[in-house]
Amino acid sequence: VADLTIDLALIGFGHVGRRFVRLLEERQAWLAGRYGFSPRVVAIATGRHGHTISPTGLDALRAADDIEQGRDFDSCERRVKPADSERIIRAAAAARPTGRPFVVVETTPLDIATGRPAVDHVRAALEAGAHVITANKGPAAFAYRELTELADSLGLLFRFESAVMDGIPLFNMARETLKAVRVNGFRGVVNSTTNHILSAMDKGEAYDAALAEMQTAGIAETDPSLDVDGWDAAAKTAALANVLLDAGITPHDVTRRGIAAITSADIRSARDRGRRVKLVASGARTAGGVTTKVAPEELPTEDHLARLDGMANALEISTDLLGTIVVTQLEGGLTQTAYGLLSDLIEVAGRIK
Amino acid sequence: VADLTIDLALIGFGHVGRRFVRLLEERQAWLAGRYGFSPRVVAIATGRHGHTISPTGLDALRAADDIEQGRDFDSCERRVKPADSERIIRAAAAARPTGRPFVVVETTPLDIATGRPAVDHVRAALEAGAHVITANKGPAAFAYRELTELADSLGLLFRFESAVMDGIPLFNMARETLKAVRVNGFRGVVNSTTNHILSAMDKGEAYDAALAEMQTAGIAETDPSLDVDGWDAAAKTAALANVLLDAGITPHDVTRRGIAAITSADIRSARDRGRRVKLVASGARTAGGVTTKVAPEELPTEDHLARLDGMANALEISTDLLGTIVVTQLEGGLTQTAYGLLSDLIEVAGRIK
């Protein structure tokens, strides 16, 4: 039996947020037995279906079903605006007994122009005394240093394992297991939609058809330019550079070229020369600071990144003592992203204890 | 300035042990500043050059130079026998002030028949109140469960990150970052010597010449049958299965076939069919328990493992929630192995604090 209850406020309750609460339910006994805690959802704020707060805990599974069946929350304020989410965080924090551990789970969509409102949600949550876990790339891509310093100063954790390569432990690996090495750079394929499109074009499919498939599957961003213009990859690159290389940049500082101009003829021509076209994200320490880039590249087939087909992602990390380590994700998706949040929550629980 | 001194006894002082003390020296300021501890070597036991104990600390760099220049330790008892290493561990423990943190660093060679004396060293060290870090595969491959339970019961750590893929964080990754997933199996290329030989034969070189190269480079085991007959891979497989799958096995339980019977004709024939021959180590949960195997396999070139050339190693880990993760090491060697020990030491320091 768990000796610790951790209250959760879910800011954003889309596919990832709902998969997360179901994963919590599936792993409930296991979390209690192995990690000694029980999560309890006390607030949910959505973008379009209102919000609900219950300091003694609410039925998150029912809430997920309600949303999926088109039912708004009873307390419904339609179209909760960003500023309202900050208010909901503060209200949820204030309604709880003092001293009970509190975690805000941020899963709102990325706004690539500013990283907001996610950055504001994280800041408001920390200021309200909550640990924060987020699947949103924005906070680490736009404000990693500020938010990490704020969290540290308050003795709170700010975690975002899911932001790159879903739940594959990249940030935790760097933090927990590469303690005595210096990372000199990284290089990877980190956007599944563009990789699927390039792989499909390589097999003779048309660009538009391949993109449409990813939109139907719910993998592509609603606004496809976030994927095909390299913005999603640039946000991940900024997050990686901020964490691994202490870059202090935003996605707008990443030299960026997407795949929109790539034609089937380009891909065939590359293939004829024994090469594959991939959207490569990279960052490196240089004499002048940290340089970062997202661009399509022709890679020789011996290159690990050249062989990533479809939804596979990979990141090469170059270090001083360990040489180059490659972490490859063969399958990605919603469950993996939700798992990343769960892994962050377990880390928070360990800190609380 | 470090507020914590950690005493180290080095059991085994070959290439890895000596690289480790030099790495400690190189990173001294950094360990003190970032992790708040200073390591101090208080005992060294070698297989052929005697031993030395100094409760107030000894000059490990000078000791490394001495050994390399063929000078035995002053206190020299020639050819310290295994039982003597246990005695040295107890003597070093007894000579120290009570309560000072103590870590035994085990780097003796693997004995594939029994895992001893390394298993005995680890047991003796734990019983003497020392945390243990080891680059030797034997303890995790032959006695993981016993030694882990003993360490747990005494509030001590038993760590062996270097045992598989040098310092690449496999065991730490599983422990620290895969907390909420179940590992269902693994599959990898984990022996550099055989992989180099197979790669070289694939390029037209002869088996004997390729093996001789690895012996000259100090990569192959002194007894080449440990590599080519698959024993090294079997020991790593047992360690992985014991840790990731709770198998409770020894290397002798691994179904094993080496590469000695592989001919250049086999490799050419595979290549003609678009395939590559690799020595694959694997383990999986099955209805009847855990099955483990080391054997040469013909892999299609799309397989991640097929493309590992020369010294590259990789391990695929299959999980319930995260799908398949692949960790690839492009470069391996002595520094990476020594780094694995350092990474274990940092973990021990964290526990002590």
Side-chain angles (χ1 to χ4, degrees):
Chain A
V1 176
D3 51 2
L4 177 70
T5 299
I6 298 181
D7 286 352
L8 309 181
L10 309 179
I11 307 303
F13 198 51
H15 290 290
V16 170
R18 298 198 299 274
R19 183 68 189 90
F20 175 65
V21 299
R22 290 181 174 128
L23 187 57
L24 288 182
E25 179 69 18
E26 289 162 28
R27 303 268 152 160
Q28 188 173 33
W30 194 82
L31 291 173
R34 180 141 169 207
Y35 296 106
F37 75 94
S38 291
R40 185 174 69 170
V41 176
V42 298
I44 300 175
T46 74
R48 287 173 301 180
H49 302 281
H51 74 273
T52 174
I53 296 181
S54 168
T56 54
L58 52 85
D59 185 341
L61 294 180
R62 204 184 126 194
D65 289 341
D66 282 350
I67 294 293
E68 284 168 13
Q69 286 159 31
R71 289 193 289 272
D72 292 340
F73 293 134
D74 294 340
S75 66
C76 184
E77 299 173 24
R78 299 299 292 262
R79 293 203 155 271
V80 170
K81 290 180 294 295
D84 290 337
S85 288
E86 290 176 57
R87 188 173 54 74
I88 292 163
I89 289 167
R90 284 190 286 269
R96 302 165 46 263
T98 313
R100 190 195 292 277
F102 186 35
V103 179
V104 166
V105 185
E106 218 284 346
T107 60
T108 66
L110 171 67
D111 174 354
I112 196 62
T114 63
R116 303 175 64 186
V119 170
D120 298 327
H121 295 162
V122 174
R123 191 186 297 111
L126 293 168
E127 286 169 350
H131 301 276
V132 180
I133 64 182
T134 179
N136 191 312
K137 292 165 278 289
F142 281 88
Y144 172 70
R145 218 178 260 174
E146 177 214 329
L147 296 172
T148 298
E149 284 170 9
L150 179 60
D152 285 350
S153 73
L154 295 166
L156 297 166
L157 291 185
F158 159 49
R159 291 289 184 263
F160 44 85
E161 188 59 73
S162 307
V164 180
M165 282 170 64
D166 302 323
I168 299 293
L170 291 179
F171 296 112
N172 281 332
M173 186 179 84
R175 185 184 300 113
E176 299 299 328
T177 73
L178 297 179
K179 289 180 173 173
V181 300
R182 181 178 162 93
V183 175
N184 291 321
F186 63 86
R187 180 175 168 274
V189 167
V190 295
N191 178 271
S192 297
T193 297
T194 50
N195 203 46
H196 172 80
I197 292 173
L198 293 171
S199 299
M201 288 170 78
D202 193 58
K203 296 193 182 79
E205 232 178 284
Y207 179 100
D208 291 340
L211 173 57
E213 276 165 27
M214 294 306 276
Q215 287 176 311
T216 306
I219 306 290
E221 301 281 344
T222 317
D223 171 3
S225 78
L226 279 179
D227 290 310
V228 299
D229 292 342
W231 278 116
D232 174 78
K236 289 168 175 166
T237 301
L240 288 165
N242 287 340
V243 175
L244 300 177
L245 306 174
D246 193 27
I249 62 171
T250 82
H252 300 275
D253 298 314
V254 177
T255 304
R256 180 186 48 79
R257 195 153 49 85
I259 64 160
I262 302 286
T263 64
S264 296
D266 294 334
I267 288 175
R268 273 196 308 271
S269 154
R271 181 172 269 278
D272 290 345
R273 285 172 283 116
R275 297 181 154 246
R276 301 284 167 83
V277 179
K278 294 287 166 192
L279 185 66
V280 177
S282 61
R285 294 186 201 273
T286 63
V290 174
T291 60
T292 52
K293 187 174 151 188
V294 169
E297 291 183 24
E298 284 190 5
L299 304 177
T301 52
E302 311 86 77
D303 192 313
H304 280 256
L305 301 184
R307 294 119 165 204
L308 297 167
D309 283 327
M311 307 269 296
N313 281 195
L315 189 73
E316 281 185 16
I317 301 175
S318 305
T319 72
D320 57 348
L321 287 179
L322 281 178
T324 304
I325 309 168
V326 192
V327 182
T328 307
Q329 172 184 35
L330 296 186
E331 301 111 35
L334 216 49
T335 299
Q336 280 85 343
T337 306
Y339 167 77
L341 287 168
L342 179 58
S343 149
D344 286 341
L345 180 61
I346 290 171
E347 206 194 334
V348 168
R351 170 67 72 96
I352 289 167
K353 299 201 143 198
Chain B
V1 176
D3 51 2
L4 176 70
T5 299
I6 298 181
D7 287 351
L8 308 181
L10 310 179
I11 308 302
F13 200 50
H15 290 290
V16 170
R18 299 197 300 273
R19 183 69 190 88
F20 175 65
V21 299
R22 290 182 174 126
L23 187 58
L24 288 182
E25 179 69 18
E26 288 162 30
R27 303 268 153 158
Q28 188 172 34
W30 193 83
L31 290 173
R34 180 141 170 207
Y35 296 106
F37 75 94
S38 290
R40 184 174 69 169
V41 177
V42 298
I44 300 175
T46 74
R48 287 173 301 180
H49 303 280
H51 74 274
T52 175
I53 296 181
S54 168
T56 55
L58 53 85
D59 185 341
L61 293 180
R62 202 183 127 196
D65 289 341
D66 283 349
I67 294 292
E68 284 167 13
Q69 286 160 30
R71 288 194 289 274
D72 292 340
F73 293 134
D74 294 340
S75 66
C76 185
E77 300 173 24
R78 298 301 291 265
R79 293 202 155 271
V80 170
K81 289 181 295 296
D84 290 337
S85 287
E86 290 175 58
R87 187 173 56 73
I88 291 163
I89 289 167
R90 283 189 287 268
R96 302 165 45 262
T98 313
R100 191 195 291 278
F102 186 36
V103 178
V104 167
V105 185
E106 217 286 346
T107 61
T108 66
L110 171 66
D111 174 353
I112 196 61
T114 63
R116 304 174 63 185
V119 170
D120 299 326
H121 295 163
V122 175
R123 191 186 298 111
L126 293 169
E127 286 170 350
H131 300 276
V132 180
I133 64 181
T134 178
N136 190 313
K137 290 166 280 289
F142 281 89
Y144 172 69
R145 219 178 258 171
E146 176 212 331
L147 296 172
T148 298
E149 283 169 10
L150 179 61
D152 286 350
S153 73
L154 296 166
L156 297 166
L157 291 185
F158 159 49
R159 291 289 184 262
F160 44 84
E161 188 58 72
S162 307
V164 180
M165 280 170 66
D166 301 323
I168 299 294
L170 290 180
F171 296 112
N172 280 333
M173 185 180 86
R175 186 183 300 114
E176 299 299 328
T177 73
L178 297 179
K179 288 179 174 174
V181 300
R182 180 178 163 94
V183 175
N184 292 322
F186 62 85
R187 181 176 167 272
V189 167
V190 295
N191 178 271
S192 297
T193 297
T194 50
N195 203 46
H196 173 81
I197 292 173
L198 293 171
S199 299
M201 287 170 77
D202 194 58
K203 295 193 183 80
E205 230 179 285
Y207 179 100
D208 292 339
L211 173 57
E213 274 165 30
M214 293 307 274
Q215 287 176 312
T216 306
I219 306 289
E221 301 282 345
T222 317
D223 171 3
S225 78
L226 280 179
D227 290 311
V228 300
D229 292 341
W231 279 116
D232 175 79
K236 289 168 175 166
T237 301
L240 289 165
N242 287 340
V243 175
L244 300 177
L245 306 174
D246 193 25
I249 61 171
T250 81
H252 299 276
D253 298 315
V254 177
T255 304
R256 179 186 48 79
R257 194 152 51 86
I259 65 160
I262 302 288
T263 65
S264 296
D266 294 333
I267 289 175
R268 273 196 308 273
S269 154
R271 182 173 269 280
D272 290 346
R273 285 172 284 117
R275 296 180 155 247
R276 301 285 167 81
V277 179
K278 294 288 165 191
L279 185 66
V280 176
S282 61
R285 294 186 201 273
T286 62
V290 174
T291 60
T292 52
K293 187 173 151 189
V294 169
E297 291 183 22
E298 283 191 6
L299 305 177
T301 52
E302 311 86 77
D303 190 314
H304 280 255
L305 302 184
R307 293 120 163 203
L308 297 167
D309 283 327
M311 306 270 296
N313 281 194
L315 189 72
E316 282 185 16
I317 301 174
S318 305
T319 72
D320 57 349
L321 287 178
L322 281 178
T324 304
I325 310 168
V326 192
V327 181
T328 307
Q329 172 184 35
L330 295 185
E331 301 112 34
L334 216 49
T335 299
Q336 281 85 343
T337 306
Y339 167 77
L341 287 169
L342 180 57
S343 149
D344 286 341
L345 180 61
I346 291 171
E347 206 195 334
V348 168
R351 170 68 72 96
I352 290 167
K353 298 199 144 199

